[in-house]
Amino acid sequence: MVHMTQAPARRRTGRRQHDREIVALAVPAFGSLVAEPLFLMADTAIVGHLGTAQLAGLGVASALLMTAVSVFVFLAYATTAAVARRVGAGDLQAAIRQGMDGIWLALLLGAAVVAVVLPTASGIVDLFGASDAAAPYATTYLRISTLGIPAMLVVLAATGVLRGLQDTKTPLYVAIAGFVANGALNAGLVYGADLGIAGSAWGTVIAQWGMAVVYLAVVLRGARKHGASLRPDAAGIRASAQAGVPLLVRTLSLRAILMIATAVAARLGDADIAAHQIILSLWSLLAFALDAIAIAGQAIIGRYLGAGDAQGAREACRRMVEWGIAVGIVLGILVVITRPAFLPLFTSDSAVKDAALPALLIVALSQPISGIVFVLDGVLMGAGDGPYLAWAMLITLAVFTPVALLVPVLGGGLTALWATMTLMMTVRMLTLWLRTRSGRWIVTGATR
C-alpha cells in the first residue's frame, strides 16, 4: 500500500522536475529565436524610408540571406545534441572540444559561401528576377552582407554549444544586445553617415561579427576552464559535418515543401497568394513558440542519453509531448480569437481576407499536431537520430508534392492548400511517433 501511494508522488515530482527544465530552457530559447526576424524588421523599417527600389532590393537580398541561415541551421542542431551527450556523460572537456569542432566547421562553410557569393552576387540577384531599379541595391546589400555570413554561422554553432551545455540564457542576452546594436548602427550609417542601403548592410555585418566575438569569448573561457583544445581537429570537423548532412537533407526537404506551397498559392490567384503570405508569416511565428520546446528537447534528451538514463529520456519525451500538445491548443485558440483583428494589420482587401479566414481555421486546428511534430523532431535531434529524420522528411515531401499540385486542378482554393499543409504535418507526426514508439532512437553513451 505504501508503494502504491509513493509511485504517484514520484511521478508528480518527476513531472515537476521536467517542467522546470523545459521552462528554464524553452523560454530564453524563444526569445533568441525571435531575434533574427527582428533584425530583418529593423532593416526593413530603416531602408523602407529610402525608397521603394531600395526596399525591393533589400527584400531580394534578405530572402537569399535568410535561406542561407535556414540551410545551415544544422550547425546549431547537430552541435546541441553532440555537446549535450558529453555533458550528460560528465565530460565537459570533450563537450567543449566537440563544440569547437562545430565552430571550425562553421568558419570553413562561411568562408566557402563568401568565396562563391561575392563574385556572383549580381548573377544571383538576376536569377531571383529583381527589377532593373531594385537589382543594384539588392546586389550591393548582398555583397556586403555576405561578409557577415561566417559570423552568422559561428553564431549558429556557438548557440548549439551553449544549448548543449544547458544554457539558453546567454544566447538570449547576446540576441538582445545584437538587436539593439543592429538598430543603432543601421540608423547611424544609413542616415547619419548617408551610406544608404550599404549602411544598413554594414550595420548588420558589424552587429553579426560582434555577436560572434561574444559567443567565441564565452566558449573560449569554457575551453580554458576545462582544458579543452582550441586547435582545429580534422577528424572532429569531419564528424560534425557527417552528423550535419542528414539534418541538411531534412531542412532542404522542408524548404522544398514551403516553396511548392508558395508556388501552388501563386497559381490560385493574386488574392490567394497574398493571403498565403500573411498566413505563412503567422505560421512561422507560431513555429517559434513550438520550436523553443524542441530546442529544450534537444538539450535535455541529449543529456539524459549521455548519462545513460534511458528511462529519464523516455519520461522527458513523454512530458515534452504533453507540453507540445498543450501549447498547440493554446496557440490554436489564440489564432481563432484574434483572426478578425490580425488580418487588418496586413491588408484591407476584402478578397484577401475572405481567402485567409477559412484557411486560418485550418491552421488553428492543426496547432496541436504541430506541437507534437516540433517536440518529437527535437527529441530525435537530441538523440542524434539525424538519418531517420532525413528519410522521414523525404517521405513527407513525396506524399505532400502530388497532393499539393492537385489543389489548383481539383479546386478548394487556399483552404484546400492549407489542408494539404496539415496533411504534411500529420505525415511528419506519424513518422516521428512511430520512431519514438519503437525505442530505436534510445542509444545511450557519450557518442551515438
Side-chain angles (χ1 to χ4, degrees), residues 210-258:
M211 291 171 67
V213 168
V214 172
Y215 273 119
L216 288 173
V218 172
V219 174
L220 292 177
R221 186 174 63 206
R224 284 195 297 269
K225 179 179 178 181
H226 298 287
S229 173
L230 302 176
R231 291 192 300 271
D233 176 63
I237 294 171
R238 188 163 54 249
S240 294
Q242 288 171 347
V245 168
L247 296 180
L248 175 60
V249 172
R250 168 202 166 276
T251 299
L252 290 175
S253 299
L254 181 56
R255 295 296 299 183
I257 287 170
L258 297 178

mmCIF file of all heavy atoms in Angstrom, residues 210-258:
data_model
loop_
_atom_site.group_PDB
_atom_site.id
_atom_site.type_symbol
_atom_site.label_atom_id
_atom_site.label_comp_id
_atom_site.label_asym_id
_atom_site.label_seq_id
_atom_site.Cartn_x
_atom_site.Cartn_y
_atom_site.Cartn_z
ATOM 1 N N GLY A 210 30.003 41.216 -34.038
ATOM 2 C CA GLY A 210 30.058 41.484 -32.603
ATOM 3 C C GLY A 210 29.450 40.344 -31.804
ATOM 4 O O GLY A 210 30.004 39.917 -30.776
ATOM 5 N N MET A 211 28.326 39.810 -32.276
ATOM 6 C CA MET A 211 27.693 38.666 -31.611
ATOM 7 C C MET A 211 28.612 37.450 -31.656
ATOM 8 O O MET A 211 28.761 36.733 -30.658
ATOM 9 C CB MET A 211 26.361 38.347 -32.283
ATOM 10 C CG MET A 211 25.289 39.401 -32.069
ATOM 11 S SD MET A 211 23.800 39.119 -33.101
ATOM 12 C CE MET A 211 23.170 37.598 -32.385
ATOM 13 N N ALA A 212 29.232 37.221 -32.813
ATOM 14 C CA ALA A 212 30.129 36.069 -32.954
ATOM 15 C C ALA A 212 31.301 36.166 -31.986
ATOM 16 O O ALA A 212 31.694 35.167 -31.360
ATOM 17 C CB ALA A 212 30.631 35.965 -34.392
ATOM 18 N N VAL A 213 31.873 37.372 -31.850
ATOM 19 C CA VAL A 213 33.004 37.572 -30.939
ATOM 20 C C VAL A 213 32.591 37.284 -29.495
ATOM 21 O O VAL A 213 33.339 36.644 -28.734
ATOM 22 C CB VAL A 213 33.558 39.009 -31.075
ATOM 23 C CG1 VAL A 213 34.529 39.326 -29.941
ATOM 24 C CG2 VAL A 213 34.252 39.183 -32.426
ATOM 25 N N VAL A 214 31.402 37.738 -29.107
ATOM 26 C CA VAL A 214 30.924 37.479 -27.742
ATOM 27 C C VAL A 214 30.761 35.979 -27.509
ATOM 28 O O VAL A 214 31.195 35.442 -26.484
ATOM 29 C CB VAL A 214 29.589 38.209 -27.482
ATOM 30 C CG1 VAL A 214 29.003 37.778 -26.138
ATOM 31 C CG2 VAL A 214 29.794 39.712 -27.506
ATOM 32 N N TYR A 215 30.144 35.294 -28.460
ATOM 33 C CA TYR A 215 29.981 33.837 -28.335
ATOM 34 C C TYR A 215 31.339 33.141 -28.221
ATOM 35 O O TYR A 215 31.524 32.241 -27.393
ATOM 36 C CB TYR A 215 29.231 33.285 -29.549
ATOM 37 C CG TYR A 215 27.735 33.307 -29.413
ATOM 38 C CD1 TYR A 215 26.948 34.047 -30.292
ATOM 39 C CD2 TYR A 215 27.093 32.565 -28.438
ATOM 40 C CE1 TYR A 215 25.562 34.060 -30.185
ATOM 41 C CE2 TYR A 215 25.714 32.570 -28.319
ATOM 42 C CZ TYR A 215 24.954 33.327 -29.196
ATOM 43 O OH TYR A 215 23.590 33.326 -29.087
ATOM 44 N N LEU A 216 32.260 33.541 -29.082
ATOM 45 C CA LEU A 216 33.586 32.911 -29.054
ATOM 46 C C LEU A 216 34.275 33.152 -27.712
ATOM 47 O O LEU A 216 34.940 32.253 -27.177
ATOM 48 C CB LEU A 216 34.447 33.450 -30.205
ATOM 49 C CG LEU A 216 34.051 32.960 -31.601
ATOM 50 C CD1 LEU A 216 34.859 33.688 -32.675
ATOM 51 C CD2 LEU A 216 34.264 31.446 -31.730
ATOM 52 N N ALA A 217 34.113 34.358 -27.158
ATOM 53 C CA ALA A 217 34.716 34.653 -25.859
ATOM 54 C C ALA A 217 34.151 33.733 -24.779
ATOM 55 O O ALA A 217 34.889 33.224 -23.925
ATOM 56 C CB ALA A 217 34.472 36.117 -25.497
ATOM 57 N N VAL A 218 32.835 33.495 -24.820
ATOM 58 C CA VAL A 218 32.193 32.618 -23.834
ATOM 59 C C VAL A 218 32.705 31.185 -23.980
ATOM 60 O O VAL A 218 33.055 30.520 -22.994
ATOM 61 C CB VAL A 218 30.657 32.656 -23.989
ATOM 62 C CG1 VAL A 218 30.002 31.597 -23.097
ATOM 63 C CG2 VAL A 218 30.121 34.037 -23.656
ATOM 64 N N VAL A 219 32.765 30.702 -25.234
ATOM 65 C CA VAL A 219 33.225 29.325 -25.475
ATOM 66 C C VAL A 219 34.696 29.176 -25.120
ATOM 67 O O VAL A 219 35.112 28.178 -24.511
ATOM 68 C CB VAL A 219 32.977 28.923 -26.944
ATOM 69 C CG1 VAL A 219 33.580 27.546 -27.224
ATOM 70 C CG2 VAL A 219 31.480 28.900 -27.244
ATOM 71 N N LEU A 220 35.510 30.180 -25.468
ATOM 72 C CA LEU A 220 36.944 30.123 -25.162
ATOM 73 C C LEU A 220 37.182 30.123 -23.657
ATOM 74 O O LEU A 220 38.087 29.438 -23.169
ATOM 75 C CB LEU A 220 37.672 31.299 -25.816
ATOM 76 C CG LEU A 220 37.737 31.279 -27.343
ATOM 77 C CD1 LEU A 220 38.414 32.534 -27.871
ATOM 78 C CD2 LEU A 220 38.457 30.039 -27.851
ATOM 79 N N ARG A 221 36.385 30.872 -22.933
ATOM 80 C CA ARG A 221 36.518 30.876 -21.467
ATOM 81 C C ARG A 221 36.235 29.488 -20.906
ATOM 82 O O ARG A 221 36.944 28.989 -20.025
ATOM 83 C CB ARG A 221 35.555 31.902 -20.871
ATOM 84 C CG ARG A 221 35.731 32.093 -19.359
ATOM 85 C CD ARG A 221 34.838 33.219 -18.866
ATOM 86 N NE ARG A 221 33.430 32.884 -19.069
ATOM 87 C CZ ARG A 221 32.473 33.788 -19.222
ATOM 88 N NH1 ARG A 221 32.769 35.076 -19.240
ATOM 89 N NH2 ARG A 221 31.214 33.404 -19.384
ATOM 90 N N GLY A 222 35.190 28.835 -21.440
ATOM 91 C CA GLY A 222 34.883 27.477 -21.015
ATOM 92 C C GLY A 222 35.986 26.497 -21.397
ATOM 93 O O GLY A 222 36.304 25.578 -20.633
ATOM 94 N N ALA A 223 36.579 26.709 -22.579
ATOM 95 C CA ALA A 223 37.661 25.819 -23.021
ATOM 96 C C ALA A 223 38.869 25.926 -22.094
ATOM 97 O O ALA A 223 39.494 24.916 -21.720
ATOM 98 C CB ALA A 223 38.051 26.163 -24.458
ATOM 99 N N ARG A 224 39.225 27.158 -21.714
ATOM 100 C CA ARG A 224 40.364 27.340 -20.799
ATOM 101 C C ARG A 224 40.063 26.724 -19.433
ATOM 102 O O ARG A 224 40.923 26.092 -18.814
ATOM 103 C CB ARG A 224 40.675 28.826 -20.644
ATOM 104 C CG ARG A 224 41.395 29.434 -21.836
ATOM 105 C CD ARG A 224 41.990 30.795 -21.492
ATOM 106 N NE ARG A 224 40.940 31.756 -21.134
ATOM 107 C CZ ARG A 224 40.354 32.550 -22.000
ATOM 108 N NH1 ARG A 224 40.697 32.498 -23.288
ATOM 109 N NH2 ARG A 224 39.424 33.403 -21.608
ATOM 110 N N LYS A 225 38.824 26.899 -18.966
ATOM 111 C CA LYS A 225 38.448 26.383 -17.648
ATOM 112 C C LYS A 225 38.556 24.869 -17.577
ATOM 113 O O LYS A 225 38.990 24.311 -16.556
ATOM 114 C CB LYS A 225 37.017 26.832 -17.324
ATOM 115 C CG LYS A 225 36.505 26.342 -15.977
ATOM 116 C CD LYS A 225 35.097 26.842 -15.721
ATOM 117 C CE LYS A 225 34.559 26.316 -14.389
ATOM 118 N NZ LYS A 225 33.171 26.786 -14.130
ATOM 119 N N HIS A 226 38.183 24.186 -18.668
ATOM 120 C CA HIS A 226 38.153 22.721 -18.657
ATOM 121 C C HIS A 226 39.305 22.087 -19.432
ATOM 122 O O HIS A 226 39.318 20.865 -19.629
ATOM 123 C CB HIS A 226 36.814 22.232 -19.210
ATOM 124 C CG HIS A 226 35.637 22.669 -18.385
ATOM 125 N ND1 HIS A 226 35.350 22.133 -17.153
ATOM 126 C CD2 HIS A 226 34.674 23.623 -18.607
ATOM 127 C CE1 HIS A 226 34.262 22.721 -16.659
ATOM 128 N NE2 HIS A 226 33.847 23.625 -17.515
ATOM 129 N N GLY A 227 40.253 22.903 -19.893
ATOM 130 C CA GLY A 227 41.442 22.376 -20.557
ATOM 131 C C GLY A 227 41.177 21.784 -21.923
ATOM 132 O O GLY A 227 41.880 20.858 -22.348
ATOM 133 N N ALA A 228 40.180 22.305 -22.634
ATOM 134 C CA ALA A 228 39.850 21.787 -23.964
ATOM 135 C C ALA A 228 40.731 22.461 -25.026
ATOM 136 O O ALA A 228 40.979 23.667 -24.964
ATOM 137 C CB ALA A 228 38.380 22.021 -24.284
ATOM 138 N N SER A 229 41.162 21.683 -25.990
ATOM 139 C CA SER A 229 41.995 22.216 -27.075
ATOM 140 C C SER A 229 41.165 23.080 -28.006
ATOM 141 O O SER A 229 39.993 22.805 -28.270
ATOM 142 C CB SER A 229 42.610 21.065 -27.865
ATOM 143 O OG SER A 229 43.280 21.560 -29.015
ATOM 144 N N LEU A 230 41.791 24.146 -28.513
ATOM 145 C CA LEU A 230 41.120 25.060 -29.435
ATOM 146 C C LEU A 230 41.529 24.822 -30.878
ATOM 147 O O LEU A 230 40.928 25.400 -31.788
ATOM 148 C CB LEU A 230 41.432 26.514 -29.052
ATOM 149 C CG LEU A 230 41.045 26.930 -27.630
ATOM 150 C CD1 LEU A 230 41.495 28.363 -27.367
ATOM 151 C CD2 LEU A 230 39.547 26.794 -27.411
ATOM 152 N N ARG A 231 42.532 24.004 -31.091
ATOM 153 C CA ARG A 231 43.038 23.794 -32.445
ATOM 154 C C ARG A 231 42.033 23.021 -33.286
ATOM 155 O O ARG A 231 41.325 22.147 -32.771
ATOM 156 C CB ARG A 231 44.365 23.030 -32.414
ATOM 157 C CG ARG A 231 45.531 23.819 -31.828
ATOM 158 C CD ARG A 231 46.859 23.107 -32.107
ATOM 159 N NE ARG A 231 46.860 21.775 -31.521
ATOM 160 C CZ ARG A 231 47.250 21.513 -30.278
ATOM 161 N NH1 ARG A 231 47.626 22.487 -29.483
ATOM 162 N NH2 ARG A 231 47.242 20.275 -29.817
ATOM 163 N N PRO A 232 41.969 23.306 -34.582
ATOM 164 C CA PRO A 232 41.066 22.536 -35.447
ATOM 165 C C PRO A 232 41.497 21.080 -35.522
ATOM 166 O O PRO A 232 42.697 20.786 -35.661
ATOM 167 C CB PRO A 232 41.186 23.233 -36.811
ATOM 168 C CG PRO A 232 42.475 24.000 -36.752
ATOM 169 C CD PRO A 232 42.692 24.365 -35.325
ATOM 170 N N ASP A 233 40.545 20.194 -35.406
ATOM 171 C CA ASP A 233 40.806 18.757 -35.467
ATOM 172 C C ASP A 233 40.071 18.195 -36.680
ATOM 173 O O ASP A 233 38.832 18.222 -36.729
ATOM 174 C CB ASP A 233 40.321 18.086 -34.183
ATOM 175 C CG ASP A 233 40.471 16.577 -34.227
ATOM 176 O OD1 ASP A 233 41.609 16.098 -34.325
ATOM 177 O OD2 ASP A 233 39.434 15.883 -34.172
ATOM 178 N N ALA A 234 40.819 17.701 -37.662
ATOM 179 C CA ALA A 234 40.211 17.258 -38.926
ATOM 180 C C ALA A 234 39.168 16.183 -38.702
ATOM 181 O O ALA A 234 38.076 16.217 -39.291
ATOM 182 C CB ALA A 234 41.298 16.756 -39.870
ATOM 183 N N ALA A 235 39.480 15.220 -37.828
ATOM 184 C CA ALA A 235 38.537 14.126 -37.579
ATOM 185 C C ALA A 235 37.264 14.645 -36.913
ATOM 186 O O ALA A 235 36.144 14.238 -37.266
ATOM 187 C CB ALA A 235 39.186 13.064 -36.702
ATOM 188 N N GLY A 236 37.416 15.571 -35.964
ATOM 189 C CA GLY A 236 36.253 16.128 -35.281
ATOM 190 C C GLY A 236 35.389 16.966 -36.203
ATOM 191 O O GLY A 236 34.159 16.899 -36.147
ATOM 192 N N ILE A 237 36.042 17.764 -37.056
ATOM 193 C CA ILE A 237 35.298 18.588 -38.013
ATOM 194 C C ILE A 237 34.552 17.694 -38.995
ATOM 195 O O ILE A 237 33.395 17.952 -39.338
ATOM 196 C CB ILE A 237 36.248 19.545 -38.753
ATOM 197 C CG1 ILE A 237 36.834 20.562 -37.771
ATOM 198 C CG2 ILE A 237 35.523 20.267 -39.894
ATOM 199 C CD1 ILE A 237 37.929 21.413 -38.351
ATOM 200 N N ARG A 238 35.218 16.628 -39.443
ATOM 201 C CA ARG A 238 34.583 15.695 -40.369
ATOM 202 C C ARG A 238 33.383 15.009 -39.702
ATOM 203 O O ARG A 238 32.322 14.847 -40.322
ATOM 204 C CB ARG A 238 35.597 14.652 -40.830
ATOM 205 C CG ARG A 238 35.083 13.738 -41.943
ATOM 206 C CD ARG A 238 36.229 13.016 -42.630
ATOM 207 N NE ARG A 238 37.077 12.294 -41.690
ATOM 208 C CZ ARG A 238 38.342 12.644 -41.400
ATOM 209 N NH1 ARG A 238 38.883 13.703 -41.983
ATOM 210 N NH2 ARG A 238 39.059 11.943 -40.546
ATOM 211 N N ALA A 239 33.504 14.655 -38.425
ATOM 212 C CA ALA A 239 32.398 14.026 -37.700
ATOM 213 C C ALA A 239 31.226 14.998 -37.560
ATOM 214 O O ALA A 239 30.059 14.601 -37.703
ATOM 215 C CB ALA A 239 32.867 13.562 -36.327
ATOM 216 N N SER A 240 31.543 16.274 -37.311
ATOM 217 C CA SER A 240 30.475 17.286 -37.213
ATOM 218 C C SER A 240 29.746 17.432 -38.543
ATOM 219 O O SER A 240 28.520 17.551 -38.585
ATOM 220 C CB SER A 240 31.067 18.635 -36.789
ATOM 221 O OG SER A 240 31.589 18.564 -35.474
ATOM 222 N N ALA A 241 30.522 17.414 -39.627
ATOM 223 C CA ALA A 241 29.914 17.530 -40.962
ATOM 224 C C ALA A 241 29.041 16.321 -41.272
ATOM 225 O O ALA A 241 27.930 16.457 -41.809
ATOM 226 C CB ALA A 241 31.001 17.684 -42.015
ATOM 227 N N GLN A 242 29.525 15.135 -40.919
ATOM 228 C CA GLN A 242 28.748 13.916 -41.176
ATOM 229 C C GLN A 242 27.441 13.910 -40.386
ATOM 230 O O GLN A 242 26.403 13.480 -40.892
ATOM 231 C CB GLN A 242 29.592 12.687 -40.828
ATOM 232 C CG GLN A 242 30.726 12.432 -41.816
ATOM 233 C CD GLN A 242 31.682 11.357 -41.346
ATOM 234 O OE1 GLN A 242 31.660 10.943 -40.183
ATOM 235 N NE2 GLN A 242 32.541 10.884 -42.251
ATOM 236 N N ALA A 243 27.486 14.411 -39.142
ATOM 237 C CA ALA A 243 26.270 14.484 -38.338
ATOM 238 C C ALA A 243 25.302 15.514 -38.907
ATOM 239 O O ALA A 243 24.081 15.382 -38.774
ATOM 240 C CB ALA A 243 26.617 14.844 -36.891
ATOM 241 N N GLY A 244 25.851 16.538 -39.583
ATOM 242 C CA GLY A 244 25.017 17.599 -40.118
ATOM 243 C C GLY A 244 24.356 17.279 -41.439
ATOM 244 O O GLY A 244 23.302 17.853 -41.759
ATOM 245 N N VAL A 245 24.943 16.365 -42.218
ATOM 246 C CA VAL A 245 24.411 16.075 -43.559
ATOM 247 C C VAL A 245 22.953 15.610 -43.532
ATOM 248 O O VAL A 245 22.112 16.130 -44.272
ATOM 249 C CB VAL A 245 25.311 15.061 -44.299
ATOM 250 C CG1 VAL A 245 24.612 14.535 -45.555
ATOM 251 C CG2 VAL A 245 26.636 15.710 -44.683
ATOM 252 N N PRO A 246 22.585 14.634 -42.683
ATOM 253 C CA PRO A 246 21.165 14.229 -42.662
ATOM 254 C C PRO A 246 20.240 15.376 -42.260
ATOM 255 O O PRO A 246 19.134 15.492 -42.792
ATOM 256 C CB PRO A 246 21.139 13.106 -41.611
ATOM 257 C CG PRO A 246 22.529 12.616 -41.516
ATOM 258 C CD PRO A 246 23.389 13.806 -41.761
ATOM 259 N N LEU A 247 20.684 16.221 -41.330
ATOM 260 C CA LEU A 247 19.859 17.351 -40.919
ATOM 261 C C LEU A 247 19.749 18.381 -42.034
ATOM 262 O O LEU A 247 18.719 19.059 -42.165
ATOM 263 C CB LEU A 247 20.439 17.996 -39.658
ATOM 264 C CG LEU A 247 20.453 17.100 -38.410
ATOM 265 C CD1 LEU A 247 21.041 17.838 -37.223
ATOM 266 C CD2 LEU A 247 19.041 16.612 -38.082
ATOM 267 N N LEU A 248 20.790 18.482 -42.867
ATOM 268 C CA LEU A 248 20.728 19.364 -44.032
ATOM 269 C C LEU A 248 19.683 18.847 -45.022
ATOM 270 O O LEU A 248 18.893 19.625 -45.573
ATOM 271 C CB LEU A 248 22.101 19.449 -44.700
ATOM 272 C CG LEU A 248 22.185 20.254 -46.008
ATOM 273 C CD1 LEU A 248 21.772 21.703 -45.778
ATOM 274 C CD2 LEU A 248 23.592 20.181 -46.598
ATOM 275 N N VAL A 249 19.665 17.529 -45.244
ATOM 276 C CA VAL A 249 18.660 16.922 -46.129
ATOM 277 C C VAL A 249 17.262 17.192 -45.597
ATOM 278 O O VAL A 249 16.342 17.548 -46.350
ATOM 279 C CB VAL A 249 18.906 15.404 -46.264
ATOM 280 C CG1 VAL A 249 17.760 14.733 -47.017
ATOM 281 C CG2 VAL A 249 20.237 15.134 -46.953
ATOM 282 N N ARG A 250 17.094 17.035 -44.286
ATOM 283 C CA ARG A 250 15.799 17.319 -43.654
ATOM 284 C C ARG A 250 15.380 18.763 -43.893
ATOM 285 O O ARG A 250 14.238 19.047 -44.265
ATOM 286 C CB ARG A 250 15.904 17.031 -42.164
ATOM 287 C CG ARG A 250 14.748 17.549 -41.339
ATOM 288 C CD ARG A 250 15.142 17.708 -39.874
ATOM 289 N NE ARG A 250 14.162 18.505 -39.143
ATOM 290 C CZ ARG A 250 14.156 19.830 -39.106
ATOM 291 N NH1 ARG A 250 15.074 20.519 -39.767
ATOM 292 N NH2 ARG A 250 13.236 20.476 -38.402
ATOM 293 N N THR A 251 16.306 19.697 -43.680
ATOM 294 C CA THR A 251 15.989 21.123 -43.824
ATOM 295 C C THR A 251 15.657 21.469 -45.267
ATOM 296 O O THR A 251 14.699 22.198 -45.540
ATOM 297 C CB THR A 251 17.169 21.972 -43.335
ATOM 298 O OG1 THR A 251 17.412 21.684 -41.949
ATOM 299 C CG2 THR A 251 16.873 23.454 -43.481
ATOM 300 N N LEU A 252 16.445 20.947 -46.208
ATOM 301 C CA LEU A 252 16.198 21.235 -47.626
ATOM 302 C C LEU A 252 14.848 20.666 -48.072
ATOM 303 O O LEU A 252 14.142 21.287 -48.878
ATOM 304 C CB LEU A 252 17.325 20.658 -48.481
ATOM 305 C CG LEU A 252 18.687 21.362 -48.353
ATOM 306 C CD1 LEU A 252 19.743 20.619 -49.161
ATOM 307 C CD2 LEU A 252 18.595 22.817 -48.801
ATOM 308 N N SER A 253 14.479 19.503 -47.546
ATOM 309 C CA SER A 253 13.180 18.912 -47.880
ATOM 310 C C SER A 253 12.041 19.787 -47.366
ATOM 311 O O SER A 253 11.038 20.004 -48.059
ATOM 312 C CB SER A 253 13.063 17.510 -47.282
ATOM 313 O OG SER A 253 14.070 16.655 -47.790
ATOM 314 N N LEU A 254 12.206 20.309 -46.155
ATOM 315 C CA LEU A 254 11.186 21.202 -45.603
ATOM 316 C C LEU A 254 11.099 22.498 -46.398
ATOM 317 O O LEU A 254 9.995 22.996 -46.677
ATOM 318 C CB LEU A 254 11.507 21.499 -44.139
ATOM 319 C CG LEU A 254 10.527 22.407 -43.390
ATOM 320 C CD1 LEU A 254 9.112 21.848 -43.446
ATOM 321 C CD2 LEU A 254 10.973 22.605 -41.950
ATOM 322 N N ARG A 255 12.256 23.049 -46.789
ATOM 323 C CA ARG A 255 12.252 24.262 -47.619
ATOM 324 C C ARG A 255 11.566 23.999 -48.953
ATOM 325 O O ARG A 255 10.835 24.854 -49.466
ATOM 326 C CB ARG A 255 13.684 24.742 -47.865
ATOM 327 C CG ARG A 255 14.445 25.201 -46.642
ATOM 328 C CD ARG A 255 13.839 26.412 -45.980
ATOM 329 N NE ARG A 255 13.795 27.571 -46.847
ATOM 330 C CZ ARG A 255 13.351 28.756 -46.458
ATOM 331 N NH1 ARG A 255 12.896 28.936 -45.241
ATOM 332 N NH2 ARG A 255 13.330 29.777 -47.304
ATOM 333 N N ALA A 256 11.772 22.811 -49.512
ATOM 334 C CA ALA A 256 11.121 22.457 -50.774
ATOM 335 C C ALA A 256 9.605 22.426 -50.609
ATOM 336 O O ALA A 256 8.860 22.893 -51.480
ATOM 337 C CB ALA A 256 11.630 21.105 -51.269
ATOM 338 N N ILE A 257 9.121 21.894 -49.488
ATOM 339 C CA ILE A 257 7.691 21.857 -49.216
ATOM 340 C C ILE A 257 7.117 23.271 -49.170
ATOM 341 O O ILE A 257 6.072 23.565 -49.770
ATOM 342 C CB ILE A 257 7.414 21.111 -47.891
ATOM 343 C CG1 ILE A 257 7.632 19.603 -48.088
ATOM 344 C CG2 ILE A 257 6.002 21.392 -47.371
ATOM 345 C CD1 ILE A 257 7.620 18.803 -46.812
ATOM 346 N N LEU A 258 7.800 24.173 -48.480
ATOM 347 C CA LEU A 258 7.316 25.548 -48.367
ATOM 348 C C LEU A 258 7.343 26.266 -49.714
ATOM 349 O O LEU A 258 6.433 27.047 -50.035
ATOM 350 C CB LEU A 258 8.160 26.316 -47.342
ATOM 351 C CG LEU A 258 8.092 25.786 -45.905
ATOM 352 C CD1 LEU A 258 9.009 26.593 -45.001
ATOM 353 C CD2 LEU A 258 6.667 25.811 -45.382
#
